[in-house]
Amino acid sequence: MAGESVQAPLEVSAGDPKHAARATRSAGRKMRSLLLDAASPLFRERGLSGTAITDIAAAADAFPSQITYYFRTKEALFVECACRDLLYLARATEQAALKARTPREYTHALAETVTASDSVAFFAEALTLTRRRQDLAPLVERTIERLHGEGARAYASQVARHGWRSLRAPDESSRRFWAVAIGVILEGYAMGRSPEALCAEMLRVLGEQAKSDDAARLRLVEGREAPSNSNEEG
């Protein structure tokens, strides 16, 4: 039973309530992570309707009741899997772009990493699901906010590091990148396009994000380019 599994550490550490509470929370986080790890590949392969709670429990070496204890419904688990996988992809995308020396290399690394994964398509399924399940929408909203926030910080860091001249503000660039990624990938999946074709289309739509300018310091320009002789720091 889920209750017995969660409360087991309390019996071991009954003499230290604070320690027992921490152990209980730690065990709960570990179990949630195991369930997410087990569910994600099943959902990707079989979809929501083709994946049973018993299948997920068996893959996680858990009880079906533990899934309903931690996530309430299979739909909630599906959405959380998709949101987590998208944030993992965003982190991998940022890591892949760290070695870029030019704005062109940076954008290419981002697009190549994103289109090589099915995480965006998985997340799009979660978006569709929340249209009918508004109780799950807050998780999606928080995920998108975090996606844009971390993307903006990563982009601003690269601009500052290399002295590029950004053609748009970091937040605008991040939102535009992910909007293009979702649109291009969904259309591409429907058309049966390869990851290489998706990457090429993303690069075409995104165009130039920033320019290298060794003579100028960092300039983040909202909506338009700064004069080429400006040395002000944005």
Side-chain angles (χ1 to χ4, degrees):
M1 295 291 292
E4 295 173 350
S5 174
V6 172
Q7 295 177 9
L10 290 173
E11 298 175 2
V12 175
S13 308
D16 186 353
K18 291 184 178 179
H19 177 76
R22 287 195 298 270
T24 300
R25 288 193 296 270
S26 177
R29 286 193 296 268
K30 182 177 180 180
M31 177 52 66
R32 289 185 96 262
S33 181
L34 287 173
L35 292 171
L36 288 164
D37 289 343
S40 181
L42 293 175
F43 283 141
R44 286 169 179 267
E45 179 184 353
R46 307 176 188 177
L48 176 62
S49 61
T51 305
I53 285 181
T54 52
D55 296 333
I56 298 170
D61 194 22
F63 296 106
S65 60
Q66 289 175 296
I67 294 175
T68 55
Y69 178 85
Y70 287 107
F71 299 98
R72 301 194 317 277
T73 65
K74 185 174 67 169
E75 290 78 11
L77 175 57
F78 182 92
V79 170
E80 187 157 344
C81 281
C83 288
R84 188 182 74 152
D85 283 10
L86 184 68
L87 293 176
Y88 282 169
L89 174 62
R91 185 183 306 167
T93 300
E94 293 164 10
Q95 290 295 317
L98 284 178
K99 296 180 181 180
R101 298 296 181 184
T102 67
R104 185 180 298 274
E105 288 179 1
Y106 180 79
T107 304
H108 192 281
L110 294 178
E112 190 174 52
T113 306
V114 165
T115 53
S117 168
D118 66 347
S119 293
V120 171
F122 186 19
F123 181 70
E125 292 184 60
L127 290 177
T128 302
L129 179 60
T130 56
R131 180 173 176 268
R132 299 185 299 273
R133 289 286 305 276
Q134 281 297 299
D135 58 306
L136 302 177
L139 176 57
V140 171
E141 183 178 357
R142 290 194 299 272
T143 299
I144 292 175
E145 289 176 356
R146 182 175 171 186
L147 182 75
H148 291 156
E150 293 183 359
R153 283 192 292 273
Y155 178 61
S157 176
Q158 286 294 90
V159 171
R161 176 186 176 192
H162 296 290
W164 298 338
R165 184 155 48 92
S166 179
L167 304 184
R168 298 176 181 85
D171 181 66
E172 181 185 346
S173 293
S174 176
R175 289 177 179 275
R176 183 169 181 268
F177 174 82
W178 286 107
V180 169
I182 292 172
V184 166
I185 290 174
L186 285 183
E187 179 183 308
Y189 266 64
M191 301 292 185
R193 293 173 182 161
S194 66
E196 293 77 16
L198 295 177
C199 181
E201 179 63 8
M202 273 198 69
L203 293 173
R204 185 190 71 79
V205 175
L206 287 169
E208 198 169 34
Q209 298 286 319
K211 293 182 178 181
S212 296
D213 190 349
D214 296 334
R217 299 177 67 190
L218 168 65
R219 293 196 296 276
L220 296 178
V221 184
E222 296 191 20
R224 63 181 186 279
E225 293 185 44
S228 59
N229 61 350
S230 172
N231 289 319
E232 296 181 1
E233 186 169 350

